[in-house]
């Protein structure tokens, strides 16, 4: 893995995290961050994030194992090297990801959007999102323009998230400042 990828980090999106080794031949458990987890293997160009930058990572084989996914990689030939990969993150160019439908977004495109409620109040900016099983939750952190210093957890639901405008970097929500 001596070649470093020259991609601009802003063009990359995290698609997976490597977990513990599987077996003795260098296979690893792969935790996919995509909604349809095994769609990850349709993405041809993977990049492993290292301390010195991004390196190419080539899937040579994969399959489902129980409830998870396991894969082997050209650059990880044995279990000894696989042991050092636990927790490493896998990234791909946004252009290589599946096209989204209407009103679908990659989480990475939402981070940093200003969250405005129906009263025109700035609630802060999106810090992160996470899944609960029922629906996603938006973590909104205060910003210099927000109405207060409160961090908010707002459910991603069609009755609450009214509009996302990536061009204006805003999200309109039906969420009161006192919730």
């Amino acid at each position: 893995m001596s070649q470093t990828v020259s991609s601009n980090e802003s063009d990359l999106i995290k698609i997976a995290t490597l977990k513990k080794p599987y077996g003795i031949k260098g296979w690893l458990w792969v935790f996919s961050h995509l909604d349809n987890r095994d769609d990850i293997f349709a993405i041809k160009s993977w990049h492993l994030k290292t301390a010195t930058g991004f390196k190419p990572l080539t899937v040579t084989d994969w399959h489902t194992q129980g409830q998870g996914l396991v894969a082997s990689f050209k650059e990880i030939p044995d279990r000894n090297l696989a042991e050092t990969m636990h927790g490493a993150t896998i990234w791909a160019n946004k252009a290589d990801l599946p096209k989204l439908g209407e009103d679908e977004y990659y989480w990475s495109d939402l981070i940093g959007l200003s969250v405005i409620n129906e009263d025109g109040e700035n609630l802060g900016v999106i810090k992160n999102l996470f899944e609960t099983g029922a629906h996603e939750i938006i973590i909104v952190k205060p910003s210099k323009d927000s109405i207060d210093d409160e961090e908010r957890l707002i459910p991603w639901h069609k009755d609450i998230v009214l509009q996302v405008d990536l061009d204006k970097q805003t999200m309109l929500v039906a969420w009161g400042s006192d919730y």
Side-chain angles (χ1 to χ4, degrees):
M1 287 191 290
S2 60
Q3 179 185 6
T4 301
V5 175
S6 61
S7 294
N8 183 345
E9 189 169 344
S10 66
D11 294 335
L12 299 175
I13 184 169
K14 184 165 59 167
I15 59 170
T17 303
L18 296 178
K19 297 299 182 181
K20 64 184 180 180
Y22 171 77
I24 61 171
K25 295 184 178 182
W27 286 59
L28 286 151
W29 288 94
V30 177
F31 180 78
S32 172
H33 296 291
L34 302 183
D35 283 345
N36 298 320
R37 355 174 249 148
D38 48 350
D39 283 355
I40 195 169
F41 295 106
I43 301 169
K44 298 301 176 203
S45 181
W46 287 21
H47 309 289
L48 176 69
K49 187 172 187 176
T50 70
T52 59
F54 291 91
K55 312 260 187 215
L57 189 63
T58 310
V59 176
T60 55
D61 199 3
W62 72 275
H63 62 83
T64 57
Q65 182 66 35
Q67 296 294 316
L69 301 169
V70 293
S72 65
F73 304 93
K74 176 181 166 188
E75 298 82 0
I76 305 172
D78 58 47
R79 184 174 176 102
N80 289 336
L81 187 54
E83 291 279 354
T84 68
M85 296 293 151
H86 187 279
T89 55
I90 306 300
W91 299 67
N93 285 311
K94 289 180 184 179
D96 294 338
L97 298 176
K99 299 298 176 215
L100 296 173
E102 189 176 330
D103 292 331
E104 290 184 328
Y105 307 94
Y106 287 113
W107 285 6
S108 63
D109 292 335
L110 300 175
I111 303 223
L113 295 186
S114 293
V115 179
I116 311 294
N117 68 14
E118 293 175 298
D119 296 329
E121 298 170 312
N122 185 320
L123 302 179
V125 297
I126 298 175
K127 174 181 174 183
N128 207 347
L129 295 98
F130 66 91
E131 246 181 280
T132 64
H135 47 71
E136 291 80 18
I137 300 292
I138 308 161
I139 302 172
V140 179
K141 69 178 181 178
S143 68
K144 64 178 179 62
D145 298 323
S146 60
I147 60 167
D148 56 28
D149 290 331
E150 297 295 317
E151 184 170 275
R152 292 176 168 79
L153 300 177
I154 300 175
W156 181 283
H157 189 273
K158 63 180 174 134
D159 294 335
I160 296 171
V161 176
L162 305 176
Q163 179 183 14
V164 174
D165 189 331
L166 294 178
D167 293 330
K168 292 183 181 177
Q169 291 288 289
T170 60
M171 176 184 287
L172 178 65
V173 295
W175 197 259
S177 59
D178 57 344
Y179 292 179

